[in-house]
Amino acid sequence: MENKKDKKDEFFDDCPICRAMKAAQERGKELTLEELKEAFEKAKERGGIVGGEWFKNKD
């Protein structure tokens, strides 16, 4: 028998952004701007490559 992932988990992994998106989806909502910023900040802290104006002058 083939081991298939559940379709709703197809795009989610262990990164903070994916986990935040999955939690929002489970609530039936979209991420707020603040939740999204927080997720990107956590990803950056874990070594993710993030950028853009949210992160200018923060280093």
Side-chain angles (χ1 to χ4, degrees), residues 42-56:
K42 287 180 183 178
K44 185 176 180 181
E45 289 170 3
R46 289 182 57 189
I49 299 172
V50 297
E53 56 187 69
W54 285 349
F55 299 98
K56 287 182 182 173

Side-chain angles (χ1 to χ4, degrees), residues 2-59:
E2 196 174 322
N3 186 10
K4 290 187 177 182
K5 279 183 145 182
D6 190 351
K7 183 81 169 163
K8 68 181 180 180
D9 291 333
E10 183 175 351
F11 300 105
F12 299 116
D13 61 19
D14 194 33
C15 82
I17 299 164
C18 293
R19 291 187 353 222
M21 289 173 57
K22 182 177 181 180
Q25 183 183 56
E26 288 172 351
R27 294 189 313 261
K29 305 212 179 225
E30 296 292 325
L31 288 174
T32 65
L33 185 57
E34 280 303 311
E35 290 171 324
L36 190 57
K37 284 181 180 180
E38 183 179 327
F40 271 86
E41 191 66 45
K42 287 180 183 178
K44 185 176 180 181
E45 289 170 3
R46 289 182 57 189
I49 299 172
V50 297
E53 56 187 69
W54 285 349
F55 299 98
K56 287 182 182 173
N57 301 320
K58 282 199 149 201
D59 292 332

